[in-house]
Every structure is written in C-alpha cells, then in structure tokens.
Amino acid sequence: MEQKFIEVSATPSNPNWENMIAREEELYKKTNDVRSDFERDYDRILYSNAYRRLKHKTQVFFLPKNDHICTRIEHVNNVDATSYTIAKSLGLNTTLTRAISIAHDIGHSPFGHKGESILNKLATSEGLERFWHERNGLNFVDNIELLTNVNDEEKNLNLTYAVRDGIISHCGEIDEISLKPRTEYVNLETDYLSPNQYAPYTWEGCVVKISDKISYIGRDIEDAISMGILDKNLDKLYDLLGISKLENINNTNIIGDLIYDLCVNSSPEEGLKFSDKMYEKLSLLKEFNYKYIYKHQCMKPSERYFELVLTEIFNTLNS
C-alpha cells in the first residue's frame, strides 16, 4: 500500500522535528547506544512501574474467572499493534506510535472508566481539580515515575514532547470524521485544561488516538461474547456487522476491516478518516457496546463496589 504520509512523518526532515524530540533536560549519553530518541522513550516507559501496574487493572469486566479476558496492559499492547500496522502502511514513524501506545493509559485509575468518573466526582465535590486519566498519565511520566540511570541517580522519565503530547492528547471517546494534528506547540502542563482540548501534535499521535478506539471496540465485543452477556443480542450484532450467522464474530475480523478502510481513505490533505459507510458502522458498534455491554445489568454490583472502595480511600487520604 502506498505510504502516503511519509513526507509528514516524525523524522529529522519534518520542520517540527526539534519540537518533537525536545525534553525538559537532556538524557545521559551512552557511547554504545544505538537507539533513537523515541526508542529510548519506549524503553523508559516499558521499565516503569506505572506500565507494570497496568496488568492488574481491568479493562471492562471486573475480576473475571476467565484468564483470557482483556486487561489494561493487553489493551495498550493491542493499541501498539494496531497503530504500528496503520503507521507502517501510511509511512509514519512506527517507533513513535509504539512509545505513545504503551504509555497512553498509564494514568488510568483502577476500575477503568467507571473508576475515573468516580474519582472525578469525588475530586470536584471537594473543590479539587477534576480527575482525567490523560492528564494523570502526563503527571506520572513528568513528576512521579522514577528510573535509576547509569550514575545511580533516580530521575523522572523525561520523555520527548511528542510522546508526552501523545499521552495527554489520546482521548478516543469522541466522534471525529477526520483527524489532523494541530500546528501549535503548546505547553502541555499549563495550556491543556480538559480532555480532547487539542488534537495531537503529530500524525503519529493521531494514529494512536484512532487506534485506541479501533482496539477496544472489537476486543470488548469478543470478551462480552465469551462472558455470555450478548447471547440475546447476537442477531443484532450480526446484522450490524453485515455478516452471515455462520461466521464467527471476533476481534480480528472487526479491526481488520477498520484498519484497511482507514488506510485506504486517509491522506495528508483529508486527514485520517474512514469511508462514510465504515464510519457509520464504527459509530453503531460503539452505540451497541454502550447499550449492551457497558450498561449491562451485570456491571451494577461491581460498580457499587468500585464506588465504595475509591470513596473510602479518597476520604482516608483527604482527611
């Protein structure tokens, strides 16, 4: 497939390159290091405690007995794989998409998006800044997570601007017909005031933003089928997907069509976009997931538990 975005990719020939690789302070030098700036970022995230903790966070279903139900760490790896495929096809910097992908959810709360909404409600009720995981992710890499360097000094991750921007700009809970990067080089600490306030600064960040949505839509459906909560609504899903009931519904089939359609219909002039038909299907799949999975009655007991646990911890720490 034609690499239509190679001229605008995050490479030294890009006029914004120096902004993309900027760090708060220069990393220590290694005479035998063969890695690029973004490869070093990828490794720094991979070795961080925040990344390791993702394996204990649920994606949708709380404490499933089935070991094959998606966790947060599997989700970020799914986004990594999806964004890599798209970026490689379009001629973008796959190392940058990989670094953003594995870091994009390290600021997520326990108990997924429900936990995030509970923490946000608790914080705002006490007059504190609202909680949103994209901002929290940036806070982790900038101010909390520590790595020991070759001089035995503990330092924050000190990632490049492009990766930090990709973390705070990845909000995928929106419905854009076409996505293009912004041109402004904003201060991510002081200028970013709410989720999705800005588009990502790089095309690679835009790819991760879309890959996030592609990755969870199909995987959550696959998990819900495994959990048996879609048994009464499978006919609706078959009709929505436009496939025969003799075929299996799985994540691979769903995301494969979405990725191909996106790569075919995107261009630097038009932005990252799906065909009208595929965009409509993606929107309907998201509606289906919210109606029959995320708001299913089986979620209610665990959501009450989430609120109890987070409220008790918040009140204890805030007292």
Side-chain angles (χ1 to χ4, degrees):
M1 187 173 288
E2 182 184 358
Q3 296 188 311
K4 296 177 284 188
F5 287 72
I6 196 166
E7 297 297 326
V8 293
S9 65
T11 62
S13 63
N14 190 303
N16 294 324
W17 176 249
E18 292 302 319
N19 288 340
M20 293 176 185
I21 62 171
R23 301 180 191 270
E24 289 298 311
E25 60 181 85
E26 190 158 335
L27 289 181
Y28 61 89
K29 296 295 184 181
K30 295 180 69 175
T31 57
N32 60 345
D33 200 342
V34 297
R35 297 170 297 172
S36 69
D37 280 287
F38 300 140
E39 285 169 333
R40 292 189 77 177
D41 280 359
Y42 180 91
D43 289 342
R44 295 175 76 79
I45 297 157
L46 191 68
Y47 299 141
S48 70
N49 286 329
Y51 176 76
R52 296 187 184 111
R53 286 194 298 270
L54 293 176
K55 66 182 178 182
H56 298 302
K57 290 188 171 76
T58 54
Q59 181 71 1
V60 175
F61 300 103
F62 179 61
L63 288 180
K65 295 180 180 179
N66 184 344
D67 287 339
H68 302 146
I69 299 300
C70 192
T71 61
R72 185 68 61 178
I73 201 165
E74 182 188 338
H75 167 68
V76 301
N77 288 324
N78 288 341
V79 175
D80 180 0
T82 299
S83 64
Y84 177 88
T85 300
I86 295 170
K88 186 171 184 288
S89 172
L90 297 179
L92 292 169
N93 189 322
T94 57
T95 306
L96 176 53
T97 60
R98 298 200 70 202
I100 297 171
S101 293
I102 68 164
H104 82 276
D105 267 355
I106 64 172
H108 235 299
S109 66
F111 314 132
H113 288 286
K114 184 61 181 178
E116 182 174 21
S117 65
I118 294 167
L119 285 175
N120 183 38
K121 182 174 70 174
L122 289 168
T124 54
S125 70
E126 293 292 326
L128 303 173
E129 181 183 353
R130 64 173 297 187
F131 178 89
W132 40 295
H133 77 272
E134 298 92 347
R135 161 66 70 193
N136 197 45
L138 185 68
N139 185 42
F140 266 125
V141 300
D142 283 356
N143 305 309
I144 297 175
E145 285 298 306
L146 298 172
L147 287 176
T148 304
N149 64 22
V150 292
N151 300 317
D152 203 30
E153 301 169 322
E154 286 193 326
K155 298 280 190 177
N156 291 125
L157 299 192
N158 189 23
L159 304 178
T160 59
Y161 182 87
V163 175
R164 294 172 60 243
D165 172 79
I167 294 171
I168 198 171
S169 300
H170 82 263
C171 177
E173 300 304 314
I174 36 77
D175 298 295
E176 292 140 321
I177 295 175
S178 175
L179 182 59
K180 295 181 178 180
R182 70 176 190 276
T183 57
E184 308 99 311
Y185 182 70
V186 302
N187 186 311
L188 302 177
E189 287 284 349
T190 59
D191 295 339
Y192 233 116
L193 304 178
S194 61
N196 203 39
Q197 180 180 357
Y198 296 103
Y201 187 62
T202 63
W203 282 105
E204 288 79 3
C206 293
V207 166
V208 174
K209 185 181 177 80
I210 289 181
S211 298
D212 188 20
K213 178 181 287 189
I214 292 174
S215 298
Y216 82 73
I217 288 287
R219 190 66 177 87
D220 292 349
I221 288 172
E222 189 173 74
D223 281 351
I225 292 173
S226 298
M227 298 284 286
I229 70 172
L230 288 181
D231 290 350
K232 296 180 180 179
N233 297 292
L234 279 178
D235 287 348
K236 295 185 181 71
L237 186 55
Y238 273 110
D239 290 341
L240 195 162
L241 293 171
I243 61 176
S244 165
K245 294 183 176 66
L246 298 176
E247 298 182 53
N248 289 326
I249 298 174
N250 59 51
N251 186 45
T252 302
N253 294 337
I254 294 172
I255 68 172
D257 290 342
L258 290 167
I259 290 172
Y260 180 79
D261 186 273
L262 181 75
C263 291
V264 168
N265 289 282
S266 297
S267 69
E269 296 75 27
E270 295 289 326
L272 295 174
K273 59 182 296 187
F274 297 99
S275 65
D276 291 343
K277 182 178 180 180
M278 189 59 72
Y279 178 76
E280 181 182 10
K281 180 181 285 189
L282 180 60
S283 299
L284 291 173
L285 281 171
K286 184 178 176 181
E287 289 177 14
F288 179 92
N289 282 18
Y290 271 91
K291 183 174 183 179
Y292 297 111
I293 301 177
Y294 311 140
K295 294 184 179 181
H296 193 278
Q297 286 301 310
C298 75
M299 302 291 187
K300 300 303 179 184
S302 57
E303 288 176 0
R304 290 193 290 270
Y305 172 74
F306 302 161
E307 186 148 18
L308 174 64
V309 170
L310 290 176
T311 300
E312 288 300 313
I313 293 173
F314 182 88
N315 288 339
T316 299
L317 295 176
N318 200 40
S319 62

